[in-house]
């Protein structure tokens, strides 16, 4: 039996919005890595999860400060039923559990057997027809082998692939063969989206670059000789998108050409992120919190990183606003803080590489650990780079 969990907001921000998920686990929270993103200060980054196990569905609060209410009561781990009322911060959801029966395979075979006995099935085709089909399939397989994987044909010459789409894309990864790059297209109707994908068989994290409309989004993380266990999520900046027009997302393997390096991506999708109602006062509050964190950046290593996140959260409350003054204040402050964080990273990375050349492993390890403290977000390429270097040092 397949179970679809449907969340309908009946009270709170974005009232009337509907979200459906058919998977074994649905994560809900403020962080962009969640399946259902609730961008509100009263919602924890990772607030709760809904787990589907066979015919039962469970709700689990992830030890949040504000808690999770099910039918008006605070809960930590409870069964979820059709028609339940779920409250997360200011959001009140009506829960629907839609169950679909999976056809019984054995029952299908019994039906075929009965039909065969009654003579209702077509007779077996002549041997020469079967032989002809086998030969045609063999010829197609040989042509595909020699013109596809073997020659490294770049199928991106055929143009962007419209999203949503299923399949595997890359070079020598048992999917659609893209030697150099693959492009996807979509037309956004709202100003806030995120890109999700699963990378695989990438040895160098700098080799595959992601962009939208020729604006850089980052690098694909390394996953050597396997597919990543979890999807990677990237929040697409509003200023990079063209609302109502065709947008092009490109995964570009910078090593191909001249090399023929193995690489791949799969499960590529675009997910709309709910937009909060305009609230300039809340945005101003986040600007104040960011400034306070910035002033205390010498006290705690992650404060500068947290200040930047506060500025990003404040901007979410201005997407639906005509408020250029506050928006510009948040953006300009974010630019200043991110430039300082970039300089901090470069200083620590420079020191780490210097100590490695001097064979001072302990000192290099200290510099790399400082980067992880100041950039705790595991999706940040700088965090991943420092962590990869630390892992190599531990193996020595």
């Amino acid at each position: 039996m397949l179970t679809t969990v449907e969340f309908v907001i009946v009270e709170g921000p974005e009232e009337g919005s509907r979200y459906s998920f058919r998977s074994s686990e649905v994560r809900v929270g403020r962080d962009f890595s969640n399946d259902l993103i609730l961008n509100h200060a009263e919602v924890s980054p990772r607030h709760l999860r809904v787990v589907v196990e066979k015919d039962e569905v469970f709700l689990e609060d992830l030890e949040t400060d504000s808690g999770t209410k099910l039918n008006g009561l605070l809960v930590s781990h409870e069964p979820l039923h059709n028609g339940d009322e779920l409250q997360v911060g200011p959001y009140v959801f009506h829960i629907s559990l839609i169950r679909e029966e999976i056809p019984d395979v054995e029952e299908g075979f019994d039906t075929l057997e009965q039909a065969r006995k009654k003579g209702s099935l077509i007779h077996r085709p002549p041997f020469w027809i079967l032989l002809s089909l086998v030969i045609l399939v063999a010829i197609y397989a040989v042509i595909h082998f020699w013109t596809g994987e073997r020659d490294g044909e770049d199928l991106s010459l055929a143009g962007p692939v419209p999203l949503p789409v299923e399949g595997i894309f890359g070079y020598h990864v048992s999917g659609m063969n893209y030697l150099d790059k693959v492009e996807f297209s979509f037309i956004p109707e709202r100003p806030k989206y995120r890109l999700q994908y699963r990378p695989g068989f990438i040895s160098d994290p700098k080799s595959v670059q992601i962009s939208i409309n020729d604006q850089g989004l980052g690098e694909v993380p390394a996953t050597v000789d396997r597919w990543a266990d979890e999807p990677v999520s990237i929040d697409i900046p509003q200023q990079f998108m063209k609302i109502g027009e065709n947008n092009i997302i490109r995964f570009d393997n910078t090593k191909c050409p001249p090399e023929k390096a193995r690489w791949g991506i799969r499960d590529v999708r675009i997910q709309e992120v709910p937009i909060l109602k305009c609230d300039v006062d809340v945005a101003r509050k986040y600007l104040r919190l960011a400034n306070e964190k910035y002033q205390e950046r010498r006290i705690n290593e992650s404060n500068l990183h947290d200040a930047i996140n506060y500025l990003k959260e404040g901007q979410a409350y201005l997407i639906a606003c005509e408020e250029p003054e506050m928006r510009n204040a948040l953006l300009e402050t974010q630019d200043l803080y991110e430039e300082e964080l970039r300089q901090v990273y470069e200083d620590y990375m420079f020191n780490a590489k210097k100590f490695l050349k001097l064979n001072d492993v302990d000192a290099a390890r200290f510099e790399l650990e400082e980067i992880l403290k100041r950039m705790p977000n595991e999706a940040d390429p700088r965090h991943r780079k420092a962590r990869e270097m630390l892992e190599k040092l531990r193996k020595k």
Side-chain angles (χ1 to χ4, degrees):
M1 178 176 291
L2 296 176
T3 301
T4 299
V5 183
E6 185 176 77
F7 300 76
V8 180
I9 302 178
V10 295
E11 184 179 330
E14 302 303 315
E15 184 176 333
S17 297
R18 184 185 303 267
Y19 308 94
S20 298
F21 303 91
R22 181 187 288 177
S23 59
S24 59
E25 182 176 324
V26 180
R27 291 186 172 270
V28 181
R30 196 175 70 239
D31 191 86
F32 285 109
S33 63
N34 292 288
D35 301 297
L36 176 54
I37 303 168
L38 304 177
N39 199 350
H40 195 280
E42 295 180 25
V43 180
S44 297
R46 293 173 179 80
H47 200 101
L48 64 89
R49 65 175 188 149
V50 174
V51 180
V52 180
E53 295 181 353
K54 296 183 179 179
D55 296 338
E56 296 183 295
V57 182
F58 295 93
L59 168 72
E60 181 183 356
D61 179 86
L62 301 178
E63 299 181 357
T64 57
D65 294 331
S66 57
T68 301
K69 288 186 177 181
L70 186 61
N71 299 321
L73 299 176
L74 286 171
V75 296
S76 58
H77 188 282
E78 290 290 331
L80 196 61
H81 302 98
N82 190 42
D84 279 348
E85 183 180 273
L86 171 66
Q87 182 172 355
V88 182
Y91 300 87
V92 179
F93 296 92
H94 174 82
I95 301 297
S96 295
L97 303 180
I98 304 168
R99 305 183 189 276
E100 300 176 29
E101 293 288 346
I102 302 176
D104 191 332
V105 176
E106 293 184 1
E107 183 179 322
F109 279 121
D110 291 342
T111 303
L112 288 173
E113 180 64 19
Q114 292 172 9
R116 186 188 66 77
K117 291 179 179 178
K118 292 179 180 179
S120 60
L121 293 181
I122 300 174
H123 293 292
R124 180 182 299 175
F127 174 78
W128 67 268
I129 294 180
L130 293 175
L131 181 61
S132 300
L133 289 174
V134 170
I135 293 173
L136 287 174
V137 171
I139 292 172
Y140 173 81
V142 171
I143 293 173
H144 178 72
F145 174 79
W146 283 98
T147 61
E149 295 280 357
R150 193 171 182 85
D151 289 339
E153 178 187 4
D154 184 3
L155 297 183
S156 63
L157 296 177
V161 180
L163 292 175
V165 66
E166 299 290 337
I168 297 174
F169 306 86
Y171 182 62
H172 279 303
V173 286
S174 302
M176 299 295 288
N177 194 28
Y178 289 80
L179 175 66
D180 176 21
K181 61 177 179 281
V182 57
E183 295 179 335
F184 301 92
S185 64
F186 76 105
I187 300 177
E189 299 178 354
R190 302 285 183 91
K192 203 169 182 67
Y193 288 83
R194 69 172 173 175
L195 168 68
Q196 282 194 332
Y197 66 95
R198 269 209 298 152
F201 306 95
I202 298 172
S203 57
D204 182 358
K206 293 184 179 180
S207 63
V208 183
Q209 303 287 329
I210 314 173
S211 64
I212 178 170
N213 302 325
D214 296 322
Q215 301 288 332
L217 289 179
E219 304 165 348
V220 176
T223 46
V224 181
D225 297 329
R226 65 180 181 88
W227 289 106
D229 297 327
E230 299 291 336
V232 177
S233 299
I234 300 178
D235 187 30
I236 302 177
Q238 180 184 353
Q239 62 269 26
F240 290 177
M241 288 194 300
K242 302 174 183 177
I243 307 300
E245 300 180 29
N246 207 31
N247 288 247
I248 304 299
I249 294 174
R250 180 184 299 121
F251 290 81
D252 188 2
N253 188 351
T254 58
K255 289 190 174 184
C256 294
E259 300 179 27
K260 290 189 176 181
R262 191 182 190 195
W263 73 288
I265 56 169
R266 64 188 301 174
D267 305 336
V268 182
R269 65 189 180 107
I270 289 291
Q271 183 176 27
E272 181 181 333
V273 179
I275 301 173
L276 299 173
K277 293 181 180 179
C278 174
D279 196 326
V280 180
D281 291 335
V282 174
R284 188 175 291 110
K285 168 190 169 184
Y286 276 112
L287 177 59
R288 176 177 56 80
L289 291 172
N291 289 331
E292 291 174 357
K293 283 285 186 182
Y294 179 78
Q295 296 301 324
E296 298 174 352
R297 65 192 185 284
R298 310 295 182 193
I299 300 175
N300 189 299
E301 295 91 342
S302 65
N303 276 355
L304 181 55
H305 168 271
D306 294 341
I308 294 171
N309 281 346
Y310 277 137
L311 294 170
K312 291 178 180 179
E313 291 183 23
Q315 292 170 40
Y317 287 89
L318 299 177
I319 292 176
C321 297
E322 293 293 336
E323 187 64 32
E325 184 176 347
M326 178 56 63
R327 182 180 290 109
N328 290 339
L330 288 165
L331 288 172
E332 290 171 3
T333 307
Q334 181 181 336
D335 288 342
L336 290 173
Y337 291 1
E338 286 187 339
E339 175 60 26
E340 182 171 330
L341 188 60
R342 183 191 65 80
Q343 189 60 53
V344 168
Y345 168 78
E346 291 185 354
D347 290 344
Y348 278 111
M349 185 57 71
F350 175 83
N351 290 337
K353 292 179 179 179
K354 179 183 67 176
F355 287 127
L356 286 175
K357 289 181 180 180
L358 297 173
N359 292 322
D360 191 342
V361 176
D362 290 337
R365 184 181 293 113
F366 172 82
E367 300 292 328
L368 294 171
E369 288 173 347
E370 289 298 310
I371 292 176
L372 298 185
K373 292 177 183 176
R374 285 162 172 76
M375 301 176 181
N377 183 7
E378 295 182 0
D380 190 326
R382 297 169 296 188
H383 178 102
R384 293 199 300 264
K385 177 66 174 178
R387 187 178 59 194
E388 288 168 5
M389 291 177 67
L390 275 171
E391 289 174 355
K392 289 180 181 178
L393 290 178
R394 294 189 183 105
K395 293 177 180 179
K396 290 184 177 180

